[in-house]
Amino acid sequence: MTDRDEACARFLAAQDHAETPRHPVSGDASNRRYERLGTGAGSVILMDAPPDKGEDVRPFIRIAAHLRTAGLAAPEILAADEEQGFLLLEDLGDDLFARVLAPLSGAALAEAEMRLYSRAIDVLAALHKVPLPEGIAPYDAAVMTDMAALAFDWYLAGTDGPDPDARAAFHAAMRAELDTLDAPSVLILRDYHAENLLWMPGRTGLARIGLLDFQDAMAGHPAYDLVSLLQDARRDVSPGLETQMIARYCAATGTEAEAFTRAYHLLGLQRNLRITGVFARLCLRDGKRHYPDLIPRVWGHVLKDLARPELAHLAPLVTGVLPEPTAERLQSLKDQCRSKPTA
């Protein structure tokens, strides 16, 4: 038994869960690990977030409290060891949007998507009317530009090799575009998508949408989490549904649609370039070989956003430099992480 295992055992024993059966729960791209303790109505979730691997449970605790105060369904914190990085959480279930929708097709899928995504938009509209928590870090133009450049730092560098001049040209142009955004900052959860949202029809109102993986929340543009939801890296969302959900948000918040839609696609470009770089980094640096398989869908989002007339001038700086994610290039990324542990 490792020191980490012993610390976890002590934490669980203090919560009367020393003998409770434990079952792995699918995690995310971080170093956090999740387990379900028990079964049925009495089950709870263990979050194991090792501080020595850069994890910190305090932001999760803080944002969860903020969301719950706003009437949203973040899991209740049942017990916490902040120093060791252990949390015991309310179990919100397994009905992720992606799982609920996966077996459906045709009219049944369209109806279910409309129901789930509409409620997810309503959650964002409500959250954006709540004052920001104090001390929340800004996801501003400077930060977003650096994040978008991860596509050059990891994807380009890992496939065709680095190009500092092209990176610098893109960085300057992207920063200039992001500096034009003008909207009050709201709390953005930053990973608001179909594998982090739970459908809980037994609850009422906004609490029917369970929220996960929000510890990296920051203060940013209201369109950002709509991009996370509607330009999903892991499942396809139809253009029609995307358009309807943007319109739903604008109607619910009294937002002028034309300016908001422009911001949405600019932030879509920023986010999808960031994700391209992050997925390459997860493979090259962290040995997680399956992430390059997600890049083609993200690249499709990049192309769609660049097709907007107001963003077309950025296309040569992006598609003229970053290579298409062909099977050969994606395999080259995987080949470079063979010696590292897989996830």
Side-chain angles (χ1 to χ4, degrees):
M1 180 178 289
T2 67
D3 291 345
R4 186 70 185 167
D5 291 335
E6 292 177 356
C8 183
R10 288 193 298 271
F11 173 72
L12 293 178
Q15 311 306 323
D16 296 325
H17 281 292
E19 304 300 326
T20 305
R22 296 159 60 178
H23 309 281
V25 177
S26 297
D28 50 35
S30 73
N31 290 308
R32 293 181 296 274
R33 182 171 60 92
Y34 298 88
E35 291 182 300
R36 174 170 284 115
L37 278 60
T39 58
S43 65
V44 295
I45 298 294
L46 169 69
M47 179 196 290
D48 177 356
D52 63 345
K53 294 185 178 180
E55 299 297 331
D56 184 355
V57 298
R58 290 171 296 182
F60 186 95
I61 294 171
R62 181 185 177 200
I63 300 301
H66 179 80
L67 295 172
R68 289 177 62 82
T69 299
L72 304 180
E76 181 183 357
I77 311 296
L78 304 173
D81 184 335
E82 296 182 13
E83 183 177 346
Q84 292 286 337
F86 296 112
L87 296 180
L88 211 58
L89 306 173
E90 174 189 10
D91 188 352
L92 300 182
D94 288 319
D95 288 336
L96 298 169
F97 277 25
R99 293 180 185 174
V100 171
L101 297 171
L104 303 179
S105 61
L109 174 61
E111 180 182 354
E113 280 187 321
M114 180 63 67
R115 180 170 62 252
L116 270 60
Y117 279 79
S118 293
R119 301 299 174 266
I121 291 295
D122 295 345
V123 166
L124 289 180
L127 177 61
H128 295 172
K129 295 174 183 177
V130 177
L132 284 165
E134 292 185 7
I136 195 79
Y139 199 56
D140 57 20
V143 175
M144 286 193 289
T145 304
D146 288 342
M147 293 296 100
L150 291 175
F152 291 76
D153 299 335
W154 290 94
Y155 174 66
L156 177 62
T159 53
D160 289 13
D163 188 335
D165 292 339
R167 184 194 189 279
F170 165 78
H171 195 280
M174 191 67 178
R175 174 62 188 270
E177 285 297 323
L178 291 168
D179 277 335
T180 67
L181 294 178
D182 182 21
S185 288
V186 299
L187 188 70
I188 57 171
L189 305 186
R190 298 181 61 211
D191 279 309
Y192 192 82
H193 56 71
E195 292 194 1
N196 281 334
L197 298 175
L198 291 153
W199 178 235
M200 301 188 295
R203 300 192 180 190
T204 60
L206 299 176
R208 285 180 290 181
I209 304 297
L211 304 175
L212 303 175
D213 198 15
F214 44 72
Q215 61 282 329
D216 295 326
M218 300 177 77
H221 194 283
Y224 191 86
D225 278 347
L226 273 77
V227 171
S228 300
L229 179 66
L230 302 173
Q231 294 190 4
D232 197 323
R234 293 171 176 82
R235 78 174 302 270
D236 295 325
V237 175
S238 72
L241 182 64
E242 182 181 22
T243 299
Q244 287 177 288
M245 293 301 104
I246 294 171
R248 185 181 184 93
Y249 177 86
C250 290
T253 57
T255 302
E256 197 279 315
E258 183 176 354
F260 185 84
T261 301
R262 178 193 177 278
Y264 171 90
H265 286 285
L266 175 57
L267 293 170
L269 176 63
Q270 183 275 334
R271 176 175 166 80
N272 289 303
L273 288 173
R274 179 184 74 82
I275 293 174
T276 299
V278 167
F279 284 173
R281 183 175 67 188
L282 284 166
C283 179
L284 294 169
R285 187 189 70 183
D286 302 331
K288 299 184 177 184
R289 299 183 74 250
H290 60 287
Y291 278 97
D293 295 332
L294 300 174
I295 291 177
R297 179 182 287 107
V298 180
W299 184 251
H301 296 323
V302 168
L303 298 180
K304 181 172 69 173
D305 291 321
L306 284 172
R308 300 282 299 186
E310 64 270 22
L311 298 178
H313 65 285
L314 295 175
L317 301 175
V318 177
T319 57
V321 179
L322 298 181
E324 180 185 357
T326 61
E328 292 76 16
R329 286 195 173 93
L330 298 179
Q331 186 60 49
S332 76
L333 291 173
K334 295 180 182 182
D335 290 344
Q336 295 175 68
C337 66
R338 279 179 175 168
S339 63
K340 301 175 184 179
T342 58

